[in-house]
Amino acid sequence: MSQSYRHIAFEHSGGPEVLCLSQSPLPQPGAGQVLIRVCAAGVNGPDLAQRRGAYPPPAGASPILGLEVAGEICALGEDTPRWQLGDQVCALVPGGGYGEYVLTHGSHCLPVPNGMALADTAALPETFFTVWGNLFMRGGLKAGETVLIQGGSGGIGSTAILLAKAFGARVLVTSGSEEKRHYCLTLGADAAFDYRDPELVAQVLALCPAGVNLVLDMAGGKMINENLKLLAEDGRMVSVAMQSGPRAEVDIFRLMAKRIVWTGSTLRPQSIAAKAAIASELEQNVWPLLAKGHCIPPISARFPLAEAAEAHRLMEVGEHRGKVILLLE
C-alpha cells in the first residue's frame, strides 16, 4: 500500500474553482476505526458549505471534503470485530471522503445491499442516515400519516419520498419548477406544489383539511411560519437545512395552540454512538428493502474525482435530480 494518497483539497474558501487534487500521508486506523480504499464518494450540500467557509469540520475531523463513501476495507484498528480485510462497505465518514482512502468508525459502515453496484452505494449513507434519523427517529413518522417535504428533488428530498412511501405514509412535496415537481411525482409523491405560490397554504389544506402530521423542512426562513399553518394539531416539524435563511419570526401562539413539536438536527456533529444507532436501525429496517430493489436513490450524475469542481457546480445551480457521486475507479 502506498504511503501517500490523492485527494481533493482547497487552500482557501471560495467557489468550485478552488478545488484541486493534492496528496497527503496515508492515515492509519485507531481503535474502533477502519481504513477504506474508496471506490466512490457522495457529494452533498454540507460539502459545498464547507468549501465556501460556512461549515467548518468538527474538532478532530478531517478537513478534506466528503461525508459518505463506498469501497473496500483495507486496514483495521483494534476493536472492529464485525469487519475483515476485503469487506465491501458503504460508510458515513466524519470527513475525508473525496480521496483514495478514508478513515471512519467501524460502527458507521454498512454492508453493500444485495444487487447494488458498489459505487452506487456511495449515494446511501449521508442521505439515508439524515432521512431516517430525522423523518423516523426524531419525527416519528408512521404509516397512514401525511408528511410534507419542503424541497423534494435533491438527494435528501428524493430519499425522503422513497422511504416515507415505503413505510406507508402519504407524501406531499414542494419544489421550485414544474419539471422538478414532475420528478417528485415519478418517485411516488402523492402531490407536488410550488413553494413560491402565495396560495401554497390554501392548496395544501384543500387536499388535507386537517393539516399534515409532519413537515420535513429544508427551507427555514419565512417558510417556518407557513409550516406552522400547514401542520395539524399535535403535528411535528423537523428542520434539516436552512436554504431560505437561518432565521425565522415564529408565531409562537400558533405553535402553542396546535401543540406542535419542532425539532431538528445536523448529522456530522453527532456522537459516534448516535450515528451507530442510526446505522443499526437502517440495517434492520431499510437494507432489506434495498436488497429487494426498493428505495434505490436515483443518481443524477457521476464525475471522476479530478472533476469534483464540476460536481459542485452542478449542485450549486440546482439542476441535479437525486444524488451526485465522484468515482475513483
Side-chain angles (χ1 to χ4, degrees):
M1 189 184 300
S2 172
Q3 296 306 302
S4 64
Y5 74 109
R6 296 183 309 143
H7 59 81
I8 295 295
F10 58 100
E11 294 184 359
H12 55 83
S13 59
E17 68 278 0
V18 303
L19 299 179
C20 61
L21 279 172
S22 185
Q23 286 198 337
S24 290
L26 192 68
Q28 298 301 314
Q33 293 183 318
V34 299
L35 182 67
I36 298 172
R37 181 183 295 111
V38 178
C39 167
V43 180
N44 294 282
D47 302 337
L48 278 64
Q50 182 177 336
R51 188 208 71 228
R52 292 192 295 260
Y55 190 58
S62 170
I64 299 169
L65 299 177
L67 300 176
E68 61 182 349
V69 301
E72 180 180 296
I73 293 176
C74 59
L76 297 165
E78 296 179 359
D79 195 25
T80 53
R82 178 175 183 181
W83 304 111
Q84 298 181 357
L85 297 179
D87 283 347
Q88 293 190 335
V89 296
C90 58
L92 189 72
V93 302
Y98 289 17
E100 294 174 319
Y101 295 88
V102 68
L103 283 178
T104 195
H105 297 279
S107 60
H108 300 168
C109 297
L110 287 162
V112 175
N114 290 336
M116 284 195 71
L118 176 61
D120 289 353
T121 66
L124 298 177
E126 173 72 11
T127 47
F128 275 69
F129 274 69
T130 297
V131 171
W132 188 264
N134 286 288
L135 200 60
F136 294 91
M137 296 175 74
R138 286 186 172 275
L141 183 64
K142 301 176 182 65
E145 291 190 320
T146 299
V147 58
L148 172 65
I149 300 166
Q150 286 277 24
S153 64
I156 298 293
S158 299
T159 300
I161 293 169
L162 294 170
L163 287 180
K165 289 300 294 183
F167 286 89
R170 184 189 190 192
V171 178
L172 315 181
V173 302
T174 64
S175 198
S177 72
E178 184 66 32
E179 189 273 332
K180 289 182 179 179
R181 292 190 290 276
H182 175 73
Y183 167 75
C184 293
L185 294 173
T186 66
L187 293 179
D190 295 286
F193 304 90
D194 186 344
Y195 63 83
R196 298 168 301 187
D197 193 321
E199 298 300 316
L200 172 65
V201 171
Q203 291 171 353
V204 173
L205 292 179
L207 189 65
C208 192
V212 302
N213 304 106
L214 176 64
V215 175
L216 182 68
D217 184 74
M218 287 170 271
K222 65 180 182 180
M223 292 305 299
I224 296 300
N225 269 327
E226 300 297 281
N227 294 338
L228 296 179
K229 295 174 186 177
L230 291 167
L231 279 163
E233 292 185 351
D234 297 306
R236 293 94 69 198
M237 177 167 59
V238 185
S239 293
V240 296
M242 304 166 290
Q243 294 172 357
S244 294
R247 299 186 182 276
E249 186 173 330
V250 176
D251 185 342
I252 297 174
F253 180 76
R254 180 174 281 116
L255 184 146
M256 294 165 56
K258 291 186 175 182
R259 303 176 300 280
I260 290 168
V261 174
W262 182 12
T263 184
S265 74
T266 56
L267 181 60
R268 195 176 190 184
Q270 292 188 46
S271 69
I272 295 170
K275 294 174 187 176
I278 300 174
S280 178
E281 288 208 12
L282 282 171
E283 187 168 8
Q284 179 180 349
N285 295 292
V286 178
W287 254 234
L289 297 176
L290 294 170
K292 295 177 182 177
H294 304 313
C295 300
I296 304 295
I299 296 177
S300 178
R302 299 170 174 84
F303 293 88
L305 179 66
E307 296 179 16
E310 293 304 314
H312 277 221
R313 289 188 181 97
L314 176 66
M315 292 274 290
E316 289 197 328
V317 298
E319 293 303 318
H320 60 296
R321 306 290 178 268
K323 294 286 294 191
V324 176
I325 62 174
L326 302 174
L327 299 174
L328 287 98
E329 296 181 352

